[in-house]
Amino acid sequence: MSRSALINIDTQQSFFHRDYWQENDLPAFQQAITRLISGCQDLNIPVVDIFHEDGDDPFARASGFVKPMPFLTHKANVTFEKHVHNAFTDTGLDHWLRTRDINHLIICGLRTEQCCETTTRVASDLGYRVSFVSEAMLTFPMEWKGVTLDAATLRHRTETVLAGRFADIQTVAECLESLS
């Protein structure tokens, strides 16, 4: 039998204070992640909040920004603080999940191609079944060597490299339907 947990990664106020912050996709993200969290709570699926703290100004605990974005009103079952890109290294998350016989993780949050993808890869390597709900994730354009990838391209690239290898790629509706 599959036991699930929702892993909400880095949906924190720190991002408002980064020069790459954009609100273009924020309304759709807010709606999707709120539906996903609410749907999981209605199904008694634990919600785990993960916050990134690395001492880097807005991501430093002392900044006061390592806390949920204002639109999030849920009460997490448990909260972990991470200091690297994945939610497992030195956090206690794996232990918490295994002591509850949780073997299926639903991933949402910020940034699709960084902490969400890295957590997904590690979770898969640790033996968890993973649902990657990129509709309930947010990211921003990135530039390297003169080429800029927009958020949609980054999302597609991330889904492409994870699909069928590390995770099932699902919409919020598909995820919630599969849990019912």
Side-chain angles (χ1 to χ4, degrees):
M1 181 173 153
S2 184
R3 287 193 30 93
S4 304
L6 176 64
I7 312 298
N8 175 28
I9 301 173
D10 300 347
T11 310
Q12 64 193 67
Q13 294 183 26
S14 306
F15 284 99
F16 298 150
H17 304 277
R18 286 294 197 203
D19 60 356
Y20 53 75
W21 173 258
Q22 295 181 6
E23 297 199 0
N24 308 10
D25 298 326
L26 185 60
F29 166 69
Q30 288 177 326
Q31 183 181 34
I33 197 169
T34 301
R35 264 188 6 254
L36 183 61
I37 291 170
S38 177
C40 285
Q41 288 180 318
D42 289 348
L43 294 167
N44 294 314
I45 292 170
V47 176
V48 178
D49 280 351
I50 307 290
F51 293 109
H52 188 89
E53 193 287 327
D54 65 10
D56 180 21
D57 207 14
F59 288 89
R61 194 175 307 111
S63 72
F65 302 129
V66 181
K67 60 186 178 184
M69 289 185 170
F71 70 89
L72 292 175
T73 59
H74 69 281
K75 180 168 174 36
N77 293 77
V78 66
T79 300
F80 293 98
E81 195 172 88
K82 66 182 184 62
H83 307 285
V84 296
H85 292 100
N86 80 80
F88 287 97
T89 301
D90 298 327
T91 63
L93 175 61
D94 187 50
H95 176 75
W96 188 88
L97 295 166
R98 292 192 191 280
T99 59
R100 285 155 184 79
D101 294 321
I102 293 171
N103 58 9
H104 171 235
L105 306 184
I106 303 156
I107 307 292
C108 66
L110 269 80
R111 295 186 61 181
T112 309
E113 78 294 344
Q114 291 183 39
C115 296
C116 294
E117 178 180 348
T118 306
T119 297
T120 296
R121 288 173 180 269
V122 172
S124 176
D125 285 352
L126 290 173
Y128 293 96
R129 183 170 67 86
V130 182
S131 295
F132 192 82
V133 187
S134 57
E135 179 183 24
M137 293 180 194
L138 185 66
T139 198
F140 313 98
M142 294 180 73
E143 184 272 331
W144 190 62
K145 291 189 174 186
V147 176
T148 299
L149 300 180
D150 62 25
T153 302
L154 286 168
R155 175 176 286 120
H156 182 267
R157 174 242 164 247
T158 303
E159 291 172 346
T160 300
V161 299
L162 294 177
R165 295 166 195 84
F166 299 96
D168 294 323
I169 311 303
Q170 297 179 320
T171 65
V172 171
E174 290 167 342
C175 181
L176 293 176
E177 184 178 321
S178 74
L179 297 168
S180 300

